[in-house]
Amino acid sequence: MKKVLVVIGSGSIGQAIARRVGVGKHILLADLRMENAQAAAEVMFNAGFTVSTTQVDVSSRISVEALAQKANALGDITGVVHAAGVSPSQASPATILAVDLYGTALVLETFGNVIAAGGSAVVIASQSGHRLGALTEEQNAALAIWTCDGFVPVCYPVRRL
């Protein structure tokens, strides 16, 4: 069966990591904006990689689960690169929490259930949370024990495809 590398966020960082660890694998580029994924796929295809694209909204459980299903249908998921995120210059605090916090937790939870034995994930962390101010002790404690969907009320309103 083919080895699959899922790259979420098809910008420069995602592409650079995919080029380094995607040799000999089917690379599935996923992005909120299909035009970004398709442009990155064209560059990578021209460099000799096997690439396909799909759309994903990491703040949507349905969308992330659909991505995992699509990747699983391509072969054994041996790697996940999560390089999607937004910054204060791009989005509101609610959207930053929905994408950078909830989206990351959702991607790790979902792909943790389907990744092949010995597979790995890389998360490109955001600094945006540090710009929002420190969390209280109670908030930190809650984040340590909440399930992924426990983040949803904090992130409302959540973007949808």
Side-chain angles (χ1 to χ4, degrees), residues 4-10 26-32 34 37 52-77 79-84 103-104 106-108 110-115 161:
V4 177
L5 172 65
V6 179
V7 178
I8 305 166
S10 57
H26 185 114
I27 300 170
L28 177 57
L29 290 175
D31 203 291
L32 181 63
M34 273 303 287
S52 58
T53 61
T54 193
Q55 187 174 30
V56 68
D57 177 350
V58 296
S59 69
S60 164
R61 179 174 288 280
I62 292 168
S63 185
V64 173
E65 288 175 350
L67 172 62
Q69 288 176 347
K70 182 169 185 167
N72 219 12
L74 294 171
D76 290 330
I77 303 168
V80 177
V81 175
H82 181 42
T104 300
L106 186 55
V107 165
L108 292 174
T110 302
F111 281 92
N113 292 325
V114 298
I115 199 163
L161 284 177

mmCIF file of all heavy atoms in Angstrom, residues 4-10 26-32 34 37 52-77 79-84 103-104 106-108 110-115 161:
data_model
loop_
_atom_site.group_PDB
_atom_site.id
_atom_site.type_symbol
_atom_site.label_atom_id
_atom_site.label_comp_id
_atom_site.label_asym_id
_atom_site.label_seq_id
_atom_site.Cartn_x
_atom_site.Cartn_y
_atom_site.Cartn_z
ATOM 1 N N VAL A 4 1.274 7.761 2.607
ATOM 2 C CA VAL A 4 0.641 9.057 2.380
ATOM 3 C C VAL A 4 1.151 10.061 3.412
ATOM 4 O O VAL A 4 1.212 9.762 4.605
ATOM 5 C CB VAL A 4 -0.899 8.943 2.472
ATOM 6 C CG1 VAL A 4 -1.563 10.300 2.309
ATOM 7 C CG2 VAL A 4 -1.426 7.943 1.449
ATOM 8 N N LEU A 5 1.493 11.248 2.919
ATOM 9 C CA LEU A 5 1.849 12.378 3.767
ATOM 10 C C LEU A 5 0.759 13.424 3.600
ATOM 11 O O LEU A 5 0.515 13.898 2.493
ATOM 12 C CB LEU A 5 3.199 12.967 3.358
ATOM 13 C CG LEU A 5 3.612 14.277 4.054
ATOM 14 C CD1 LEU A 5 3.831 14.036 5.549
ATOM 15 C CD2 LEU A 5 4.851 14.866 3.405
ATOM 16 N N VAL A 6 0.095 13.773 4.683
ATOM 17 C CA VAL A 6 -0.949 14.796 4.664
ATOM 18 C C VAL A 6 -0.326 16.114 5.097
ATOM 19 O O VAL A 6 0.283 16.202 6.168
ATOM 20 C CB VAL A 6 -2.112 14.427 5.610
ATOM 21 C CG1 VAL A 6 -3.182 15.509 5.600
ATOM 22 C CG2 VAL A 6 -2.694 13.069 5.248
ATOM 23 N N VAL A 7 -0.463 17.131 4.266
ATOM 24 C CA VAL A 7 0.060 18.457 4.578
ATOM 25 C C VAL A 7 -1.115 19.415 4.633
ATOM 26 O O VAL A 7 -1.781 19.658 3.631
ATOM 27 C CB VAL A 7 1.098 18.927 3.523
ATOM 28 C CG1 VAL A 7 1.589 20.328 3.861
ATOM 29 C CG2 VAL A 7 2.246 17.936 3.429
ATOM 30 N N ILE A 8 -1.379 19.945 5.817
ATOM 31 C CA ILE A 8 -2.485 20.869 6.025
ATOM 32 C C ILE A 8 -1.892 22.273 6.088
ATOM 33 O O ILE A 8 -1.124 22.584 6.992
ATOM 34 C CB ILE A 8 -3.249 20.532 7.315
ATOM 35 C CG1 ILE A 8 -3.715 19.077 7.286
ATOM 36 C CG2 ILE A 8 -4.417 21.493 7.516
ATOM 37 C CD1 ILE A 8 -4.181 18.552 8.632
ATOM 38 N N GLY A 9 -2.255 23.086 5.107
ATOM 39 C CA GLY A 9 -1.661 24.415 4.958
ATOM 40 C C GLY A 9 -0.593 24.327 3.889
ATOM 41 O O GLY A 9 0.486 23.797 4.135
ATOM 42 N N SER A 10 -0.918 24.796 2.705
ATOM 43 C CA SER A 10 -0.024 24.582 1.564
ATOM 44 C C SER A 10 0.886 25.773 1.277
ATOM 45 O O SER A 10 1.367 25.935 0.169
ATOM 46 C CB SER A 10 -0.848 24.237 0.322
ATOM 47 O OG SER A 10 -1.789 25.257 0.053
ATOM 48 N N HIS A 26 2.794 9.629 -1.461
ATOM 49 C CA HIS A 26 1.715 10.416 -2.064
ATOM 50 C C HIS A 26 1.448 11.578 -1.099
ATOM 51 O O HIS A 26 1.125 11.347 0.065
ATOM 52 C CB HIS A 26 0.455 9.573 -2.238
ATOM 53 C CG HIS A 26 -0.620 10.313 -2.954
ATOM 54 N ND1 HIS A 26 -1.052 9.947 -4.194
ATOM 55 C CD2 HIS A 26 -1.338 11.405 -2.608
ATOM 56 C CE1 HIS A 26 -1.996 10.786 -4.588
ATOM 57 N NE2 HIS A 26 -2.185 11.687 -3.629
ATOM 58 N N ILE A 27 1.589 12.794 -1.577
ATOM 59 C CA ILE A 27 1.381 13.972 -0.739
ATOM 60 C C ILE A 27 -0.024 14.502 -0.999
ATOM 61 O O ILE A 27 -0.381 14.793 -2.140
ATOM 62 C CB ILE A 27 2.427 15.065 -1.034
ATOM 63 C CG1 ILE A 27 3.834 14.531 -0.762
ATOM 64 C CG2 ILE A 27 2.139 16.320 -0.209
ATOM 65 C CD1 ILE A 27 4.940 15.443 -1.240
ATOM 66 N N LEU A 28 -0.808 14.599 0.064
ATOM 67 C CA LEU A 28 -2.143 15.187 -0.016
ATOM 68 C C LEU A 28 -2.066 16.577 0.595
ATOM 69 O O LEU A 28 -1.880 16.729 1.796
ATOM 70 C CB LEU A 28 -3.161 14.325 0.731
ATOM 71 C CG LEU A 28 -4.591 14.861 0.799
ATOM 72 C CD1 LEU A 28 -5.166 15.111 -0.597
ATOM 73 C CD2 LEU A 28 -5.475 13.916 1.598
ATOM 74 N N LEU A 29 -2.153 17.602 -0.267
ATOM 75 C CA LEU A 29 -2.122 18.991 0.183
ATOM 76 C C LEU A 29 -3.544 19.454 0.481
ATOM 77 O O LEU A 29 -4.413 19.383 -0.387
ATOM 78 C CB LEU A 29 -1.524 19.894 -0.889
ATOM 79 C CG LEU A 29 -0.036 19.768 -1.174
ATOM 80 C CD1 LEU A 29 0.351 20.657 -2.350
ATOM 81 C CD2 LEU A 29 0.772 20.145 0.049
ATOM 82 N N ALA A 30 -3.770 19.927 1.693
ATOM 83 C CA ALA A 30 -5.093 20.388 2.098
ATOM 84 C C ALA A 30 -5.001 21.836 2.555
ATOM 85 O O ALA A 30 -4.079 22.202 3.296
ATOM 86 C CB ALA A 30 -5.631 19.508 3.221
ATOM 87 N N ASP A 31 -5.939 22.640 2.125
ATOM 88 C CA ASP A 31 -5.932 24.056 2.467
ATOM 89 C C ASP A 31 -7.376 24.560 2.469
ATOM 90 O O ASP A 31 -8.232 23.999 1.776
ATOM 91 C CB ASP A 31 -5.104 24.834 1.443
ATOM 92 C CG ASP A 31 -4.573 26.153 1.990
ATOM 93 O OD1 ASP A 31 -5.369 27.075 2.234
ATOM 94 O OD2 ASP A 31 -3.345 26.244 2.171
ATOM 95 N N LEU A 32 -7.642 25.606 3.213
ATOM 96 C CA LEU A 32 -8.955 26.229 3.189
ATOM 97 C C LEU A 32 -9.244 26.785 1.797
ATOM 98 O O LEU A 32 -10.368 26.727 1.309
ATOM 99 C CB LEU A 32 -9.043 27.337 4.245
ATOM 100 C CG LEU A 32 -10.380 28.070 4.356
ATOM 101 C CD1 LEU A 32 -11.488 27.114 4.771
ATOM 102 C CD2 LEU A 32 -10.270 29.219 5.339
ATOM 103 N N MET A 34 -8.672 26.344 -2.005
ATOM 104 C CA MET A 34 -8.265 25.356 -3.006
ATOM 105 C C MET A 34 -7.243 25.923 -3.982
ATOM 106 O O MET A 34 -6.340 25.214 -4.414
ATOM 107 C CB MET A 34 -9.477 24.821 -3.776
ATOM 108 C CG MET A 34 -10.152 23.647 -3.116
ATOM 109 S SD MET A 34 -9.053 22.233 -2.822
ATOM 110 C CE MET A 34 -8.843 21.606 -4.471
ATOM 111 N N ALA A 37 -3.840 25.401 -2.558
ATOM 112 C CA ALA A 37 -3.435 23.994 -2.613
ATOM 113 C C ALA A 37 -3.076 23.595 -4.038
ATOM 114 O O ALA A 37 -2.072 22.910 -4.276
ATOM 115 C CB ALA A 37 -4.543 23.103 -2.069
ATOM 116 N N SER A 52 -1.875 15.269 -4.621
ATOM 117 C CA SER A 52 -3.284 15.576 -4.864
ATOM 118 C C SER A 52 -3.694 16.652 -3.875
ATOM 119 O O SER A 52 -2.961 16.957 -2.940
ATOM 120 C CB SER A 52 -4.163 14.326 -4.742
ATOM 121 O OG SER A 52 -4.023 13.736 -3.476
ATOM 122 N N THR A 53 -4.860 17.245 -4.107
ATOM 123 C CA THR A 53 -5.308 18.364 -3.277
ATOM 124 C C THR A 53 -6.723 18.136 -2.773
ATOM 125 O O THR A 53 -7.497 17.380 -3.359
ATOM 126 C CB THR A 53 -5.284 19.695 -4.055
ATOM 127 O OG1 THR A 53 -6.174 19.590 -5.164
ATOM 128 C CG2 THR A 53 -3.888 20.028 -4.538
ATOM 129 N N THR A 54 -7.039 18.834 -1.718
ATOM 130 C CA THR A 54 -8.400 18.860 -1.199
ATOM 131 C C THR A 54 -8.565 20.110 -0.339
ATOM 132 O O THR A 54 -7.592 20.734 0.069
ATOM 133 C CB THR A 54 -8.726 17.586 -0.390
ATOM 134 O OG1 THR A 54 -10.132 17.515 -0.168
ATOM 135 C CG2 THR A 54 -7.988 17.559 0.943
ATOM 136 N N GLN A 55 -9.807 20.435 -0.082
ATOM 137 C CA GLN A 55 -10.110 21.585 0.772
ATOM 138 C C GLN A 55 -10.370 21.095 2.187
ATOM 139 O O GLN A 55 -10.964 20.028 2.392
ATOM 140 C CB GLN A 55 -11.338 22.315 0.235
ATOM 141 C CG GLN A 55 -11.632 23.614 0.936
ATOM 142 C CD GLN A 55 -12.766 24.382 0.284
ATOM 143 O OE1 GLN A 55 -13.662 23.791 -0.298
ATOM 144 N NE2 GLN A 55 -12.721 25.696 0.385
ATOM 145 N N VAL A 56 -9.936 21.866 3.169
ATOM 146 C CA VAL A 56 -10.209 21.544 4.566
ATOM 147 C C VAL A 56 -10.360 22.833 5.365
ATOM 148 O O VAL A 56 -9.688 23.824 5.099
ATOM 149 C CB VAL A 56 -9.103 20.658 5.186
ATOM 150 C CG1 VAL A 56 -7.792 21.409 5.337
ATOM 151 C CG2 VAL A 56 -9.549 20.082 6.535
ATOM 152 N N ASP A 57 -11.277 22.790 6.300
ATOM 153 C CA ASP A 57 -11.439 23.848 7.297
ATOM 154 C C ASP A 57 -11.110 23.204 8.631
ATOM 155 O O ASP A 57 -11.902 22.404 9.139
ATOM 156 C CB ASP A 57 -12.874 24.381 7.277
ATOM 157 C CG ASP A 57 -13.145 25.432 8.339
ATOM 158 O OD1 ASP A 57 -12.290 25.636 9.233
ATOM 159 O OD2 ASP A 57 -14.226 26.034 8.297
ATOM 160 N N VAL A 58 -9.941 23.486 9.195
ATOM 161 C CA VAL A 58 -9.523 22.797 10.413
ATOM 162 C C VAL A 58 -10.392 23.135 11.620
ATOM 163 O O VAL A 58 -10.321 22.444 12.629
ATOM 164 C CB VAL A 58 -8.027 23.036 10.739
ATOM 165 C CG1 VAL A 58 -7.140 22.458 9.661
ATOM 166 C CG2 VAL A 58 -7.735 24.500 11.004
ATOM 167 N N SER A 59 -11.220 24.151 11.522
ATOM 168 C CA SER A 59 -12.117 24.479 12.636
ATOM 169 C C SER A 59 -13.437 23.718 12.539
ATOM 170 O O SER A 59 -14.334 23.935 13.341
ATOM 171 C CB SER A 59 -12.366 25.991 12.701
ATOM 172 O OG SER A 59 -13.151 26.423 11.605
ATOM 173 N N SER A 60 -13.536 22.800 11.579
ATOM 174 C CA SER A 60 -14.748 22.000 11.386
ATOM 175 C C SER A 60 -14.431 20.520 11.529
ATOM 176 O O SER A 60 -13.654 19.961 10.752
ATOM 177 C CB SER A 60 -15.316 22.250 9.985
ATOM 178 O OG SER A 60 -16.245 21.247 9.626
ATOM 179 N N ARG A 61 -15.034 19.878 12.520
ATOM 180 C CA ARG A 61 -14.830 18.437 12.729
ATOM 181 C C ARG A 61 -15.199 17.657 11.470
ATOM 182 O O ARG A 61 -14.468 16.760 11.051
ATOM 183 C CB ARG A 61 -15.636 17.936 13.925
ATOM 184 C CG ARG A 61 -15.464 16.423 14.148
ATOM 185 C CD ARG A 61 -16.132 15.932 15.410
ATOM 186 N NE ARG A 61 -15.429 16.346 16.609
ATOM 187 C CZ ARG A 61 -14.333 15.752 17.092
ATOM 188 N NH1 ARG A 61 -13.802 14.738 16.452
ATOM 189 N NH2 ARG A 61 -13.773 16.185 18.194
ATOM 190 N N ILE A 62 -16.313 17.983 10.852
ATOM 191 C CA ILE A 62 -16.754 17.274 9.652
ATOM 192 C C ILE A 62 -15.704 17.385 8.558
ATOM 193 O O ILE A 62 -15.375 16.406 7.880
ATOM 194 C CB ILE A 62 -18.122 17.810 9.173
ATOM 195 C CG1 ILE A 62 -19.212 17.439 10.183
ATOM 196 C CG2 ILE A 62 -18.475 17.306 7.790
ATOM 197 C CD1 ILE A 62 -20.528 18.153 9.972
ATOM 198 N N SER A 63 -15.139 18.561 8.368
ATOM 199 C CA SER A 63 -14.146 18.785 7.336
ATOM 200 C C SER A 63 -12.851 18.020 7.620
ATOM 201 O O SER A 63 -12.274 17.397 6.717
ATOM 202 C CB SER A 63 -13.863 20.290 7.213
ATOM 203 O OG SER A 63 -12.990 20.553 6.151
ATOM 204 N N VAL A 64 -12.383 18.037 8.858
ATOM 205 C CA VAL A 64 -11.150 17.328 9.216
ATOM 206 C C VAL A 64 -11.352 15.822 9.102
ATOM 207 O O VAL A 64 -10.470 15.101 8.620
ATOM 208 C CB VAL A 64 -10.653 17.740 10.617
ATOM 209 C CG1 VAL A 64 -9.473 16.882 11.065
ATOM 210 C CG2 VAL A 64 -10.261 19.217 10.626
ATOM 211 N N GLU A 65 -12.504 15.333 9.522
ATOM 212 C CA GLU A 65 -12.777 13.896 9.389
ATOM 213 C C GLU A 65 -12.858 13.483 7.923
ATOM 214 O O GLU A 65 -12.383 12.400 7.554
ATOM 215 C CB GLU A 65 -14.048 13.519 10.147
ATOM 216 C CG GLU A 65 -13.839 13.558 11.654
ATOM 217 C CD GLU A 65 -15.094 13.308 12.468
ATOM 218 O OE1 GLU A 65 -16.215 13.275 11.899
ATOM 219 O OE2 GLU A 65 -14.959 13.145 13.706
ATOM 220 N N ALA A 66 -13.411 14.331 7.070
ATOM 221 C CA ALA A 66 -13.454 14.039 5.629
ATOM 222 C C ALA A 66 -12.038 13.999 5.061
ATOM 223 O O ALA A 66 -11.717 13.148 4.209
ATOM 224 C CB ALA A 66 -14.298 15.079 4.896
ATOM 225 N N LEU A 67 -11.170 14.891 5.518
ATOM 226 C CA LEU A 67 -9.771 14.883 5.087
ATOM 227 C C LEU A 67 -9.107 13.570 5.482
ATOM 228 O O LEU A 67 -8.402 12.950 4.676
ATOM 229 C CB LEU A 67 -9.019 16.068 5.697
ATOM 230 C CG LEU A 67 -7.504 16.086 5.502
ATOM 231 C CD1 LEU A 67 -7.135 16.151 4.018
ATOM 232 C CD2 LEU A 67 -6.895 17.251 6.276
ATOM 233 N N ALA A 68 -9.320 13.134 6.706
ATOM 234 C CA ALA A 68 -8.720 11.879 7.177
ATOM 235 C C ALA A 68 -9.216 10.700 6.350
ATOM 236 O O ALA A 68 -8.434 9.804 5.997
ATOM 237 C CB ALA A 68 -9.025 11.674 8.660
ATOM 238 N N GLN A 69 -10.498 10.689 6.017
ATOM 239 C CA GLN A 69 -11.050 9.613 5.189
ATOM 240 C C GLN A 69 -10.436 9.617 3.800
ATOM 241 O O GLN A 69 -10.083 8.570 3.255
ATOM 242 C CB GLN A 69 -12.574 9.720 5.100
ATOM 243 C CG GLN A 69 -13.281 9.355 6.379
ATOM 244 C CD GLN A 69 -14.784 9.568 6.285
ATOM 245 O OE1 GLN A 69 -15.285 10.204 5.369
ATOM 246 N NE2 GLN A 69 -15.501 9.023 7.261
ATOM 247 N N LYS A 70 -10.305 10.792 3.209
ATOM 248 C CA LYS A 70 -9.712 10.903 1.872
ATOM 249 C C LYS A 70 -8.264 10.420 1.896
ATOM 250 O O LYS A 70 -7.826 9.677 1.015
ATOM 251 C CB LYS A 70 -9.788 12.333 1.354
ATOM 252 C CG LYS A 70 -9.220 12.493 -0.045
ATOM 253 C CD LYS A 70 -9.519 13.831 -0.653
ATOM 254 C CE LYS A 70 -9.033 13.853 -2.098
ATOM 255 N NZ LYS A 70 -9.548 14.969 -2.840
ATOM 256 N N ALA A 71 -7.511 10.843 2.902
ATOM 257 C CA ALA A 71 -6.112 10.428 3.018
ATOM 258 C C ALA A 71 -6.008 8.919 3.215
ATOM 259 O O ALA A 71 -5.173 8.257 2.588
ATOM 260 C CB ALA A 71 -5.447 11.164 4.185
ATOM 261 N N ASN A 72 -6.849 8.372 4.048
ATOM 262 C CA ASN A 72 -6.846 6.939 4.326
ATOM 263 C C ASN A 72 -7.166 6.134 3.072
ATOM 264 O O ASN A 72 -6.630 5.042 2.877
ATOM 265 C CB ASN A 72 -7.845 6.626 5.441
ATOM 266 C CG ASN A 72 -7.350 5.574 6.393
ATOM 267 O OD1 ASN A 72 -6.180 5.210 6.382
ATOM 268 N ND2 ASN A 72 -8.242 5.089 7.215
ATOM 269 N N ALA A 73 -8.017 6.665 2.209
ATOM 270 C CA ALA A 73 -8.366 5.990 0.964
ATOM 271 C C ALA A 73 -7.182 5.947 -0.007
ATOM 272 O O ALA A 73 -7.122 5.078 -0.884
ATOM 273 C CB ALA A 73 -9.563 6.674 0.306
ATOM 274 N N LEU A 74 -6.233 6.870 0.152
ATOM 275 C CA LEU A 74 -5.050 6.916 -0.716
ATOM 276 C C LEU A 74 -3.987 5.906 -0.315
ATOM 277 O O LEU A 74 -3.157 5.517 -1.133
ATOM 278 C CB LEU A 74 -4.433 8.322 -0.707
ATOM 279 C CG LEU A 74 -5.268 9.440 -1.322
ATOM 280 C CD1 LEU A 74 -4.613 10.792 -1.044
ATOM 281 C CD2 LEU A 74 -5.442 9.220 -2.815
ATOM 282 N N GLY A 75 -3.978 5.501 0.950
ATOM 283 C CA GLY A 75 -2.972 4.559 1.425
ATOM 284 C C GLY A 75 -2.758 4.689 2.920
ATOM 285 O O GLY A 75 -3.609 5.206 3.640
ATOM 286 N N ASP A 76 -1.607 4.215 3.371
ATOM 287 C CA ASP A 76 -1.264 4.288 4.792
ATOM 288 C C ASP A 76 -0.760 5.693 5.117
ATOM 289 O O ASP A 76 0.234 6.155 4.547
ATOM 290 C CB ASP A 76 -0.159 3.290 5.137
ATOM 291 C CG ASP A 76 -0.635 1.847 5.081
ATOM 292 O OD1 ASP A 76 -1.820 1.601 5.347
ATOM 293 O OD2 ASP A 76 0.197 0.976 4.767
ATOM 294 N N ILE A 77 -1.426 6.354 6.044
ATOM 295 C CA ILE A 77 -1.016 7.697 6.457
ATOM 296 C C ILE A 77 0.188 7.538 7.379
ATOM 297 O O ILE A 77 0.067 7.061 8.500
ATOM 298 C CB ILE A 77 -2.159 8.443 7.174
ATOM 299 C CG1 ILE A 77 -3.391 8.525 6.282
ATOM 300 C CG2 ILE A 77 -1.690 9.831 7.609
ATOM 301 C CD1 ILE A 77 -4.652 8.972 6.998
ATOM 302 N N GLY A 79 2.481 10.192 7.767
ATOM 303 C CA GLY A 79 2.890 11.497 8.270
ATOM 304 C C GLY A 79 1.815 12.542 8.104
ATOM 305 O O GLY A 79 1.029 12.497 7.157
ATOM 306 N N VAL A 80 1.766 13.451 9.058
ATOM 307 C CA VAL A 80 0.848 14.589 9.017
ATOM 308 C C VAL A 80 1.664 15.835 9.349
ATOM 309 O O VAL A 80 2.392 15.864 10.338
ATOM 310 C CB VAL A 80 -0.310 14.441 10.034
ATOM 311 C CG1 VAL A 80 -1.204 15.673 10.022
ATOM 312 C CG2 VAL A 80 -1.115 13.178 9.770
ATOM 313 N N VAL A 81 1.552 16.838 8.496
ATOM 314 C CA VAL A 81 2.181 18.133 8.731
ATOM 315 C C VAL A 81 1.050 19.146 8.869
ATOM 316 O O VAL A 81 0.294 19.370 7.926
ATOM 317 C CB VAL A 81 3.116 18.534 7.568
ATOM 318 C CG1 VAL A 81 3.664 19.936 7.791
ATOM 319 C CG2 VAL A 81 4.233 17.517 7.401
ATOM 320 N N HIS A 82 0.915 19.717 10.047
ATOM 321 C CA HIS A 82 -0.138 20.709 10.278
ATOM 322 C C HIS A 82 0.507 22.088 10.309
ATOM 323 O O HIS A 82 1.117 22.490 11.291
ATOM 324 C CB HIS A 82 -0.864 20.404 11.587
ATOM 325 C CG HIS A 82 -1.976 21.361 11.892
ATOM 326 N ND1 HIS A 82 -2.865 21.807 10.948
ATOM 327 C CD2 HIS A 82 -2.335 21.959 13.047
ATOM 328 C CE1 HIS A 82 -3.729 22.645 11.504
ATOM 329 N NE2 HIS A 82 -3.415 22.753 12.785
ATOM 330 N N ALA A 83 0.390 22.790 9.181
ATOM 331 C CA ALA A 83 1.015 24.108 9.041
ATOM 332 C C ALA A 83 -0.016 25.191 8.760
ATOM 333 O O ALA A 83 0.331 26.259 8.270
ATOM 334 C CB ALA A 83 2.067 24.058 7.932
ATOM 335 N N ALA A 84 -1.276 24.925 9.062
ATOM 336 C CA ALA A 84 -2.329 25.914 8.847
ATOM 337 C C ALA A 84 -2.484 26.767 10.103
ATOM 338 O O ALA A 84 -2.377 26.263 11.217
ATOM 339 C CB ALA A 84 -3.652 25.221 8.525
ATOM 340 N N GLY A 103 -8.492 23.861 16.024
ATOM 341 C CA GLY A 103 -8.112 23.162 14.796
ATOM 342 C C GLY A 103 -6.934 22.232 15.004
ATOM 343 O O GLY A 103 -6.919 21.106 14.504
ATOM 344 N N THR A 104 -5.937 22.681 15.741
ATOM 345 C CA THR A 104 -4.773 21.829 16.013
ATOM 346 C C THR A 104 -5.172 20.625 16.851
ATOM 347 O O THR A 104 -4.782 19.486 16.550
ATOM 348 C CB THR A 104 -3.660 22.640 16.702
ATOM 349 O OG1 THR A 104 -3.271 23.701 15.832
ATOM 350 C CG2 THR A 104 -2.457 21.768 17.026
ATOM 351 N N LEU A 106 -8.089 19.265 17.047
ATOM 352 C CA LEU A 106 -8.939 18.428 16.209
ATOM 353 C C LEU A 106 -8.120 17.601 15.218
ATOM 354 O O LEU A 106 -8.358 16.401 15.043
ATOM 355 C CB LEU A 106 -9.944 19.314 15.471
ATOM 356 C CG LEU A 106 -11.018 18.640 14.644
ATOM 357 C CD1 LEU A 106 -11.815 17.650 15.477
ATOM 358 C CD2 LEU A 106 -11.941 19.715 14.057
ATOM 359 N N VAL A 107 -7.141 18.221 14.574
ATOM 360 C CA VAL A 107 -6.275 17.497 13.626
ATOM 361 C C VAL A 107 -5.525 16.379 14.353
ATOM 362 O O VAL A 107 -5.478 15.234 13.876
ATOM 363 C CB VAL A 107 -5.293 18.465 12.929
ATOM 364 C CG1 VAL A 107 -4.160 17.713 12.248
ATOM 365 C CG2 VAL A 107 -6.040 19.341 11.925
ATOM 366 N N LEU A 108 -4.933 16.681 15.500
ATOM 367 C CA LEU A 108 -4.183 15.660 16.231
ATOM 368 C C LEU A 108 -5.079 14.534 16.716
ATOM 369 O O LEU A 108 -4.712 13.356 16.628
ATOM 370 C CB LEU A 108 -3.420 16.297 17.394
ATOM 371 C CG LEU A 108 -2.272 17.225 16.986
ATOM 372 C CD1 LEU A 108 -1.689 17.921 18.210
ATOM 373 C CD2 LEU A 108 -1.203 16.477 16.211
ATOM 374 N N THR A 110 -8.057 13.572 15.421
ATOM 375 C CA THR A 110 -8.599 12.826 14.282
ATOM 376 C C THR A 110 -7.538 11.944 13.639
ATOM 377 O O THR A 110 -7.765 10.752 13.398
ATOM 378 C CB THR A 110 -9.189 13.804 13.243
ATOM 379 O OG1 THR A 110 -10.208 14.587 13.888
ATOM 380 C CG2 THR A 110 -9.774 13.065 12.063
ATOM 381 N N PHE A 111 -6.373 12.514 13.342
ATOM 382 C CA PHE A 111 -5.330 11.728 12.682
ATOM 383 C C PHE A 111 -4.664 10.752 13.641
ATOM 384 O O PHE A 111 -4.132 9.723 13.199
ATOM 385 C CB PHE A 111 -4.331 12.637 11.971
ATOM 386 C CG PHE A 111 -4.860 13.120 10.657
ATOM 387 C CD1 PHE A 111 -5.539 14.312 10.564
ATOM 388 C CD2 PHE A 111 -4.724 12.343 9.516
ATOM 389 C CE1 PHE A 111 -6.074 14.746 9.350
ATOM 390 C CE2 PHE A 111 -5.248 12.760 8.303
ATOM 391 C CZ PHE A 111 -5.921 13.964 8.215
ATOM 392 N N GLY A 112 -4.717 11.018 14.931
ATOM 393 C CA GLY A 112 -4.207 10.058 15.907
ATOM 394 C C GLY A 112 -4.961 8.740 15.858
ATOM 395 O O GLY A 112 -4.419 7.688 16.210
ATOM 396 N N ASN A 113 -6.193 8.789 15.380
ATOM 397 C CA ASN A 113 -7.014 7.580 15.271
ATOM 398 C C ASN A 113 -6.795 6.808 13.982
ATOM 399 O O ASN A 113 -7.234 5.668 13.869
ATOM 400 C CB ASN A 113 -8.500 7.940 15.392
ATOM 401 C CG ASN A 113 -8.862 8.424 16.771
ATOM 402 O OD1 ASN A 113 -8.323 7.951 17.770
ATOM 403 N ND2 ASN A 113 -9.760 9.390 16.847
ATOM 404 N N VAL A 114 -6.147 7.412 12.981
ATOM 405 C CA VAL A 114 -6.014 6.747 11.678
ATOM 406 C C VAL A 114 -4.585 6.632 11.167
ATOM 407 O O VAL A 114 -4.349 5.945 10.174
ATOM 408 C CB VAL A 114 -6.877 7.445 10.593
ATOM 409 C CG1 VAL A 114 -8.353 7.379 10.947
ATOM 410 C CG2 VAL A 114 -6.441 8.887 10.364
ATOM 411 N N ILE A 115 -3.642 7.263 11.820
ATOM 412 C CA ILE A 115 -2.262 7.228 11.333
ATOM 413 C C ILE A 115 -1.705 5.814 11.464
ATOM 414 O O ILE A 115 -2.043 5.085 12.409
ATOM 415 C CB ILE A 115 -1.388 8.277 12.065
ATOM 416 C CG1 ILE A 115 -0.126 8.568 11.277
ATOM 417 C CG2 ILE A 115 -1.108 7.846 13.492
ATOM 418 C CD1 ILE A 115 0.569 9.857 11.691
ATOM 419 N N LEU A 161 -16.917 25.735 6.145
ATOM 420 C CA LEU A 161 -16.727 25.753 4.690
ATOM 421 C C LEU A 161 -18.004 26.183 4.001
ATOM 422 O O LEU A 161 -19.076 25.966 4.423
ATOM 423 C CB LEU A 161 -16.340 24.367 4.171
ATOM 424 C CG LEU A 161 -14.904 23.965 4.426
ATOM 425 C CD1 LEU A 161 -14.684 22.537 3.936
ATOM 426 C CD2 LEU A 161 -13.951 24.887 3.715
#
